[in-house]
């Protein structure tokens, strides 16, 4: 820097001092410094155009919420999504924290503007044939009838009852419901929900129960090779090998079976509130993501099948 008062120092010089601070005192990663440098250069370039002159420390102090919103809008107009804009805003906030601590240049606007929220990715469901293939044939790769029955029962709970993998594996022997009774599931936050079981799910559970080596009220329902509670990583490993051997998509995971349960119910006309209860979602907004999946699938079918889709 030139030794000028911070208010009259150029923004370019202040940026250079900030990057040197990151590299020296903060020992920041080279990639981080490069990214921050590029983001701040773009921001200073925007300010230069905005005020029609090279910005100084005083200009940085005068940046308003409206200015920041205009900058983020310009970034969005060039194709940046919410995640990218959030990262650029993070760089600006770090720069302003440095300016306040080292140069006495204060500005509350960067801390007041809302961070663009990234959209959660849509749940990725399997097709109905692929989901059935997992449930019905995963056990065929097991080394014994007992392990085959166990793996089929786990998959049946994920796709046939919409359980999370950890919910299924946390069940104890005492949790097995009597005939025609629903299953009580302990979900996130200790919340309990009641899940009715299809005949096919009951049959899979009964088959595994007949092979269970040590049935006792407090025994884990699903056991691993050494007699302890079955680990989710083992299930994921078996499914990974199965999907690759059978040409299923890479998103064929235990959680994708739960997504498939919800998506296929919705496509069949199930009520969204009922699906929320079955999945154990605390908020309906979480369940509503499946409507976007269903709409996207309908659009895909229309685009591939309708005679006017490509005209």
């Amino acid at each position: 820097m030139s030794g000028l008062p911070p208010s009259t120092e150029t923004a370019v010089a202040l940026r250079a001092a900030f990057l040197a601070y990151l590299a020296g005192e903060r020992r920041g990663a080279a990639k981080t410094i490069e990214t921050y440098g590029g983001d701040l250069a773009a921001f200073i370039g925007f300010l230069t155009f905005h005020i029609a002159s090279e910005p100084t420390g005083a200009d940085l102090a005068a940046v308003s919420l409206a200015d920041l919103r205009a900058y983020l809008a310009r970034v969005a107009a060039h194709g940046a999504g919410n995640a990218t804009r959030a990262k650029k805003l993070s760089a600006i906030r770090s720069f302003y924290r440095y300016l306040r601590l080292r140069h006495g240049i204060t500005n509350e606007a960067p801390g007041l503007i809302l961070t663009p929220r990234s959209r959660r990715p849509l749940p990725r469901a399997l097709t109905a044939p692929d989901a059935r293939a997992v449930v019905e044939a995963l056990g065929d790769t097991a080394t014994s009838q007992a392990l085959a029955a166990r793996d089929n029962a786990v998959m049946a709970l994920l796709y046939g009852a919409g359980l999370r993998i950890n919910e299924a594996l946390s069940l104890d022997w005492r949790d097995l419901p009597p005939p025609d009774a629903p299953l009580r599931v302990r979900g996130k936050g200790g919340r309990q929900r009641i899940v009715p079981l299809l005949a096919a799910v009951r049959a899979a559970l009964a088959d595994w129960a007949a092979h269970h080596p040590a049935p006792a009220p407090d025994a884990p329902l699903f056991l691993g090779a050494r007699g302890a509670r079955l680990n989710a990583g083992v299930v994921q490993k078996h499914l990974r090998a199965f999907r690759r051997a059978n040409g299923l998509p890479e998103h064929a995971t235990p959680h994708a079976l739960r997504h498939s349960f919800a998506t296929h119910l919705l496509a069949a006309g199930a009520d969204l509130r009922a699906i929320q209860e079955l999945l154990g979602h605390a908020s309906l907004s979480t369940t509503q993501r499946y409507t976007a999946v269903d709409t996207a699938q309908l659009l895909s079918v229309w685009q591939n099948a309708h005679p006017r889709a490509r005209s």
Side-chain angles (χ1 to χ4, degrees):
M1 292 178 62
S2 64
L4 296 172
S7 61
T8 58
E9 189 67 72
T10 67
V12 170
L14 290 167
R15 166 186 169 273
F18 171 60
L19 296 180
Y21 159 78
L22 288 181
E25 294 186 37
R26 302 296 296 179
R27 298 188 181 279
K31 184 63 177 177
T32 300
I33 295 169
E34 179 185 353
T35 301
Y36 274 34
D39 289 341
L40 292 175
F43 176 60
I44 292 170
F46 168 80
L47 292 179
T48 301
F49 176 81
H50 191 59
I51 65 176
S53 65
E54 185 176 9
T56 64
D59 295 317
L60 290 173
V63 167
S64 66
L65 279 172
D67 295 332
L68 289 172
R69 292 191 184 105
Y71 171 66
L72 293 177
R74 180 178 177 183
V75 171
H78 285 82
N82 282 7
T84 299
R85 286 183 289 143
K87 290 178 181 177
K88 291 181 180 298
L89 183 57
S90 177
I92 292 171
R93 285 172 173 160
S94 294
F95 182 40
Y96 271 95
R97 282 194 295 270
Y98 163 80
L99 292 177
R100 175 174 56 83
L101 292 172
R102 293 303 177 91
H103 301 284
I105 296 173
T106 61
N107 189 327
E108 300 297 328
L112 295 175
I113 191 168
L114 293 177
T115 301
R117 296 182 61 181
S118 299
R119 293 183 179 179
R120 294 178 64 185
L122 291 177
R124 301 187 69 185
L126 303 177
T127 64
D130 284 350
R132 285 197 299 270
V134 171
V135 174
E136 296 170 2
L138 178 66
D140 294 348
T141 62
T143 56
S144 70
Q145 287 187 340
L147 291 180
R150 181 200 68 185
D151 290 350
N152 287 342
V154 172
M155 295 300 113
L157 283 174
L158 303 185
Y159 179 55
L163 269 64
R164 301 177 178 92
I165 182 63
N166 288 333
E167 291 173 345
L169 299 187
S170 68
L171 293 171
D172 293 329
W173 179 265
R174 64 164 63 92
D175 296 319
L176 270 178
D180 299 325
L183 177 68
R184 292 182 179 273
V185 179
R186 292 182 294 275
K188 287 185 175 180
R191 293 187 298 271
Q192 285 201 356
R193 68 184 188 275
I194 305 299
V195 180
L197 296 180
L198 300 171
V201 178
R202 291 186 185 278
L205 287 173
D207 187 24
W208 163 237
H211 288 87
H212 197 292
D218 59 349
L221 179 56
F222 296 109
L223 298 174
R226 298 182 180 181
R229 191 178 299 275
L230 181 60
N231 186 280
V234 173
V235 179
Q236 292 162 348
K237 180 180 178 181
H238 289 177
L239 184 48
R240 182 164 58 248
F242 179 84
R243 74 175 180 242
R244 291 175 179 173
N246 291 272
L248 298 181
E250 282 297 302
H251 69 272
T253 62
H255 207 62
L257 290 174
R258 174 175 157 89
H259 290 326
S260 303
F261 166 82
T263 302
H264 298 165
L265 277 179
L266 184 65
D271 178 73
L272 200 61
R273 284 284 184 186
I275 297 175
Q276 178 192 1
E277 293 294 327
L278 291 171
L279 292 175
H281 287 159
S283 170
L284 183 63
S285 63
T286 305
T287 316
Q288 285 174 330
R289 294 192 301 149
Y290 291 102
T291 63
V293 175
D294 196 41
T295 301
Q297 290 179 341
L298 288 173
L299 179 60
S300 177
V301 170
W302 181 86
Q303 288 175 331
N304 291 326
H306 198 282
R308 298 295 300 277
R310 303 183 186 280
S311 59

